[in-house]
Amino acid sequence: MSLKIKKKSGSSVPPMDAGTYPAVCVGIVDLGEQYSETFKKYNDKMLVIWEIPSQTIEIDGEDKPRWLSKDFSASLHEKSGLYQTLVSWRGKAFTEAELTEDENSFMQFSVLDMLGTGCFLQVIVEEKDSGSYNRITSVIALPAGMDAPKTETPLIAFDIDAWDDEVFTALPGWIQERIKKSTQYQKLHVPTDPVDVDTSGGQKPETAGGTQEKKEENPI
């Protein structure tokens, strides 16, 4: 047996070369309220997924277009990463009307409006101890007159507050696992099966006949 240990790659998918790629948004996924180890608090997060049709990868023996994704805090505050990315992606500033809230406190603009729209992604290769990764550094509007890349991928839209089992089970497994860490998922899937919990601190009391009394089942 050799005691030499190989460094494991963080991903089995080789990164693309750094560069600028035409892409199309194929997914916007509400990840729910996620805990941040960095800031030690919970934050509403969303995942935006872009497809790069010019780049392919083999999956189950079939060539598929590459995907890249980026996390955002679900905020349209003018200093937020999502706000700044959307301004660059749309190629224009938000109007006051778009950011005006309706009677339900929702803004008139919806991030879901970006599904199916094209852009240029600026991508770099980032080296980490666990391997090499692609990272999106900017999202840029397509030039006037340039059509968005064509895609045959069904567009993904998932809203955690309007839970849909069919949409959830159709998501890639790694996205499902992220959603399962959200506070919303945990509340929706609280265990409901009764569990026999002994709270007596010792043996169950004996009945007059000398047999132990069956303890009442307590749901968690």
Side-chain angles (χ1 to χ4, degrees):
M1 180 181 73
S2 172
L3 292 179
K4 293 182 179 180
I5 300 173
K6 295 181 178 178
K7 184 170 76 172
K8 294 182 179 179
S9 172
S11 172
S12 60
V13 179
M16 302 185 306
D17 293 335
T20 304
Y21 297 90
V24 59
C25 178
V26 295
I28 295 177
V29 178
D30 182 356
L31 297 174
E33 197 176 55
Q34 299 277 336
Y35 184 71
S36 168
E37 287 290 349
T38 302
F39 299 104
K40 306 300 181 186
K41 66 177 183 179
Y42 286 91
N43 239 344
D44 288 320
K45 304 287 285 187
M46 70 169 53
L47 185 75
V48 181
I49 305 167
W50 289 274
E51 182 173 286
I52 305 173
S54 64
Q55 303 293 307
T56 59
I57 186 169
E58 185 177 325
I59 300 176
D60 297 330
E62 186 178 353
D63 284 342
K64 298 283 189 180
R66 291 288 294 259
W67 282 10
L68 287 181
S69 62
K70 188 176 177 69
D71 280 19
F72 295 95
S73 292
S75 168
L76 282 178
H77 185 278
E78 62 182 11
K79 292 185 178 179
S80 72
L82 179 60
Y83 180 97
Q84 294 174 15
T85 295
L86 286 169
V87 168
S88 175
W89 183 358
R90 295 171 3 132
K92 62 180 181 178
F94 282 99
T95 65
E96 186 176 343
E98 286 178 311
L99 300 181
T100 299
E101 295 181 351
D102 62 17
E103 64 275 9
N104 296 314
S105 297
F106 290 112
M107 292 184 181
Q108 301 296 327
F109 170 80
S110 171
V111 181
L112 292 177
D113 294 340
M114 304 306 293
L115 272 174
T117 64
C119 62
F120 280 118
L121 296 181
Q122 284 190 336
V123 179
I124 65 170
V125 178
E126 199 165 71
E127 301 288 344
K128 295 185 178 181
D129 290 342
S130 54
S132 300
Y133 302 83
N134 282 131
R135 182 166 68 85
I136 297 169
T137 57
S138 62
V139 184
I140 307 166
L142 294 175
M146 181 175 177
D147 294 331
K150 302 297 182 184
T151 178
E152 296 180 2
T153 300
L155 301 181
I156 302 167
F158 179 76
D159 182 352
I160 201 167
D161 293 321
W163 188 272
D164 187 316
D165 280 329
E166 185 176 349
V167 177
F168 177 75
T169 54
L171 294 172
W174 63 274
I175 297 180
Q176 291 185 33
E177 291 305 311
R178 295 202 60 192
I179 292 172
K180 288 178 181 179
K181 294 178 182 178
S182 69
T183 58
Q184 289 94 329
Y185 183 91
Q186 298 300 322
K187 290 174 183 176
L188 283 170
H189 297 82
V190 173
T192 55
D193 294 335
V195 178
D196 187 17
V197 180
D198 182 2
T199 59
S200 67
Q203 285 188 317
K204 296 179 182 179
E206 293 187 354
T207 62
T211 59
Q212 288 189 331
E213 189 179 57
K214 183 178 180 182
K215 190 170 182 63
E216 183 182 355
E217 293 181 333
N218 299 305
I220 291 179

